[in-house]
Amino acid sequence: MNLFEHLGRYLSLMRLVFRKPEKASIYHKQVLIEMESLGLDSMGIVAIVSVFMGAVVTIQMAFNVDTPLIPMYTIGYATKQSVILEFSPTIISLILAGKVGSRIASEIGTMRVTEQIDALEIMGINSSTYLIFPKIIASLFINPVLIVFSMFLALLGGYAISAITGLVAPHDYLYGIRAFFEMFDVIYALIKTVVFAFIIASVSGYHGYYTKGGALEVGKSSTQAVVHSSIAIIFFNLILTQILLA
Amino acid sequence: MIEAQNISKSFGEHKVLNDVTIRFEKGRTNLIIGQSGSGKTVLMKCLVGLLNVDKGKVLYDDRVFSAMSFREMKSIRKEIGMLFQGGALFDSKTVQENVIFPLSMFTQQSHEEKVERANFCLSRVNLENVNHLMPAELSGGMKKRVAIARAISMNPRYLFCDEPNSGLDPKTSNVIDNLIKELTEEFDMTTVVNTHDMNSVMEIGDKVAYIYKGELWWVGSKDEILHSDNPELNDFVFTSELTQRLKDR
Ligand SMILES: Nc1ncnc2c1ncn2[C@@H]1O[C@H](COP(=O)(O)OP(=O)(O)OP(=O)(O)O)[C@@H](O)[C@H]1O
Ligand SMILES: [Mg+2]
């Protein structure tokens, strides 16, 4: 299938996904379950990646600002800007595309090849709404939380590395990350996060839902889910940045 | 009553069903028999609308199913119970959650009422004390029986069973067959069963349709099947030593 066929089928699936749910109470419960399995279960990896990323960015900034002409707090400031504008929203979303995306695609794909989706349809349930809608809603709520959590930990990682290595004095670092704070930077990051969250859940749901065949194809769909959602994230990152910052 | 009128279905070049016309009566167990790969599952999936037919139509008590809007189709689906060939239990839910799932979705019953109904359905298929097991913890035959319990939990008007007793021992198989027959008569359901088990045919075959290479080849009752002179049907029915001897007597 080429890109346009995928796109057409994706859009018509999204129309089905956003139909009126059968019973609100079931969906509320489903959203909570998904928040736990898509969000809480990702906390660990997000935390590890963020702390190390923050530390590395700080070292790199210190390496670049190796001249007495520039004040040391610039290191903290530059670290904060990179973390908030790009590292947390984009890199963590890419990691979530790998972790959450493959999980969604393989879960729904397995249900497809074992006829569980047909069983839902026979009961008169909108299977696409039932399976994909709660995952999208849960991601839209939980991913921003994960990203803010990541920003915080990345800056903490930077602080820890400055305290350990002395590349920058901790109080300069702290001054830097608080200097020239723009609320809009965080809003920009959260807008990106929400768009990426939608991409991850819907593209992966799409690939899972249209799995055909058996276990082998489930693996293929989950790979495709990760590849396609990552590409879409990179692409929308450019578009959104151009629109919001330029 | 369910009617299929001149339905055909192909996958690409491969013609699986060719102009099949058949009626399934209410209050009776209607059997579809045929060799593996003859198109039984495809026919059943066309009847319930999981596959779109290329030609022809399907009627549920004179309501033309194949021409319905999505919403009308959904209202009929709520009257359908189906047992899939592979069971198709929701593997992230326990046995009990599987059986009460349609009830939670479409009724306002309290949790106690739903559990009571689940226990009743499970006891009908001779399953007790398995409510809190996951499908992965069940044997093949138990999965099948849970799937039957789930299919009947909503008191369907139309019941479809795709090979209800493949993978079951003869005794359980017999229990399941009779359960299907009993439920059919008790609730006056229209029941369609796919099978290639001759024991089931002789046990519950009120009306038997033989599918041969995607065509409806022969229709009759379980008594007529033994005396038919249709060569392809005889070929299918009298394959084993045992049945051959029956025929010769
Ligand atoms: N989704 C599909 N795509 C392509 N071909 C299919 C599909 N489903 C079934 N077929 C083909 O249709 C034919 C009939 O399959 P079907 O599953 O109906 O057989 P069956 O009579 O149920 O056999 P069994 O007794 O083994 O279950 C087979 O040749 C199969 O290859
Ligand atoms: Mg079959």
Side-chain angles (χ1 to χ4, degrees):
Chain A
M1 273 176 96
N2 67 34
L3 178 67
F4 291 103
E5 287 168 321
H6 271 301
L7 206 59
R9 205 169 57 160
Y10 167 81
L11 291 175
S12 56
L13 177 68
M14 285 307 115
R15 256 189 42 220
L16 296 180
V17 167
F18 288 96
R19 274 174 307 197
K20 192 172 170 293
E22 281 85 12
K23 198 172 174 187
S25 60
I26 298 267
Y27 279 81
H28 289 157
K29 217 174 98 192
Q30 237 11 60
V31 169
L32 292 178
I33 293 174
E34 297 296 350
M35 277 188 172
E36 186 178 344
S37 79
L38 303 180
L40 289 182
D41 286 359
S42 307
M43 287 267 178
I45 176 114
V46 168
I48 293 170
V49 171
S50 301
V51 169
F52 280 82
M53 208 167 61
V56 169
V57 171
T58 305
I59 297 173
Q60 289 174 347
M61 292 304 165
F63 180 73
N64 286 323
V65 184
D66 197 14
T67 149
L69 294 177
I70 302 174
M72 286 308 268
Y73 73 77
T74 311
I75 297 171
Y77 174 71
T79 302
K80 174 191 70 175
Q81 290 303 87
S82 334
V83 162
I84 292 184
L85 293 179
E86 194 60 17
F87 279 90
S88 286
T90 309
I91 303 293
I92 296 296
S93 290
L94 285 171
I95 286 174
L96 291 175
K99 183 175 184 292
V100 173
S102 60
R103 184 200 162 108
I104 292 178
S106 57
E107 180 189 327
I108 298 181
T110 304
M111 292 187 72
R112 167 63 76 194
V113 302
T114 55
E115 297 184 312
Q116 293 175 52
I117 293 185
D118 287 341
L120 286 171
E121 286 290 325
I122 283 298
M123 292 172 187
I125 294 164
N126 302 330
S127 60
S128 52
T129 312
Y130 177 75
L131 293 173
I132 302 176
F133 182 75
K135 291 185 171 42
I136 292 180
I137 300 300
S139 298
L140 292 182
F141 280 104
I142 207 77
N143 284 22
V145 175
L146 287 172
I147 298 304
V148 170
F149 173 68
S150 155
M151 289 173 181
F152 178 75
L153 288 181
L155 295 179
L156 199 68
Y159 179 79
I161 203 74
S162 16
I164 296 167
T165 62
L167 278 171
V168 45
H171 70 270
D172 278 339
Y173 178 84
L174 285 181
Y175 179 78
I177 63 174
R178 280 177 299 183
F180 316 113
F181 181 78
E182 289 274 0
M183 196 55 204
F184 183 72
D185 293 349
V186 177
I187 293 175
Y188 157 79
L190 290 179
I191 292 175
K192 291 209 296 188
T193 302
V194 168
V195 173
F196 298 163
F198 185 86
I199 290 173
I200 295 169
S202 63
V203 171
S204 312
Y206 163 78
H207 280 292
Y209 196 77
Y210 286 110
T211 304
K212 267 207 177 89
L216 192 64
E217 282 78 7
V218 172
K220 280 188 194 150
S221 315
S222 89
T223 309
Q224 275 202 315
V226 176
V227 171
H228 287 179
S229 46
S230 303
I231 293 173
I233 286 174
I234 299 291
F235 178 72
F236 276 91
N237 190 29
L238 180 65
I239 304 271
L240 287 172
T241 305
Q242 172 66 26
I243 293 174
L244 295 170
L245 293 191
Chain B
M1 185 190 68
I2 302 170
E3 249 183 296
Q5 293 178 355
N6 310 95
I7 60 174
S8 297
K9 174 76 189 170
S10 306
F11 293 102
E13 292 291 285
H14 182 188
K15 191 148 201 168
V16 178
L17 292 179
N18 190 10
D19 203 31
V20 175
T21 298
I22 186 169
R23 261 168 88 124
F24 301 105
E25 316 285 341
K26 193 173 171 193
R28 302 174 69 186
T29 42
N30 302 276
L31 264 48
I32 302 173
I33 61 171
Q35 273 176 26
S36 180
S38 55
K40 302 183 294 296
T41 300
V42 172
L43 175 57
M44 189 169 272
K45 287 191 174 170
C46 287
L47 292 177
V48 297
L50 286 174
L51 290 173
N52 290 322
V53 294
D54 300 336
K55 244 179 48 206
K57 49 187 178 178
V58 176
L59 292 90
Y60 280 71
D61 291 314
D62 300 322
R63 298 174 288 183
V64 186
F65 188 61
S66 30
M68 279 181 185
S69 72
F70 183 78
R71 186 169 297 168
E72 292 169 309
M73 212 177 247
K74 264 180 67 172
S75 73
I76 290 213
R77 289 261 171 92
K78 286 174 200 162
E79 303 173 354
I80 294 180
M82 179 160 178
L83 167 66
F84 287 83
Q85 195 162 353
L89 294 178
F90 302 125
D91 47 24
S92 60
K93 297 188 188 305
T94 64
V95 165
Q96 176 171 306
E97 286 165 350
N98 261 283
V99 180
I100 66 178
F101 182 75
L103 302 172
S104 310
M105 213 65 188
F106 297 115
T107 71
Q108 301 299 330
Q109 294 177 8
S110 71
H111 185 69
E112 287 70 32
E113 287 171 304
K114 287 185 282 190
V115 171
E116 194 179 318
R117 177 74 193 157
N119 286 334
F120 172 75
C121 295
L122 287 167
S123 69
R124 294 299 299 255
V125 290
N126 291 337
L127 281 176
E128 256 135 46
N129 303 320
V130 295
N131 292 38
H132 300 292
L133 295 181
M134 300 303 284
E137 297 169 306
L138 303 176
S139 75
M142 288 163 89
K143 279 185 198 155
K144 211 129 223 185
R145 285 185 279 159
V146 174
I148 295 179
R150 185 179 68 183
I152 60 175
S153 68
M154 289 278 279
N155 266 330
R157 280 176 68 185
Y158 311 100
L159 182 65
F160 294 87
C161 302
D162 198 354
E163 318 238 346
N165 37 28
S166 65
L168 297 182
D169 62 280
K171 193 155 176 223
T172 314
S173 178
N174 198 267
V175 169
I176 297 290
D177 281 342
N178 285 304
L179 169 72
I180 292 172
K181 193 171 171 63
E182 256 171 61
L183 291 169
T184 302
E185 284 162 9
E186 192 175 328
F187 298 108
D188 205 21
M189 294 190 290
T190 307
T191 300
V192 181
V193 180
N194 277 355
T195 186
H196 32 54
D197 182 354
M198 281 313 290
N199 287 326
S200 311
V201 173
M202 297 323 289
E203 193 78 28
I204 60 171
D206 292 335
K207 177 170 182 173
V208 184
Y210 175 59
I211 302 282
Y212 179 71
K213 293 190 176 161
E215 293 192 32
L216 183 64
W217 210 251
W218 183 91
V219 184
S221 72
K222 63 180 178 189
D223 303 314
E224 288 161 356
I225 210 168
L226 294 177
H227 308 107
S228 136
D229 48 16
N230 186 307
E232 286 81 13
L233 178 65
N234 281 340
D235 217 34
F236 176 77
V237 174
F238 303 106
T239 31
S240 74
E241 184 85 5
L242 185 70
T243 48
Q244 197 65 55
R245 278 193 212 162
L246 274 175
K247 173 90 171 167
D248 293 341
R249 278 218 321 226

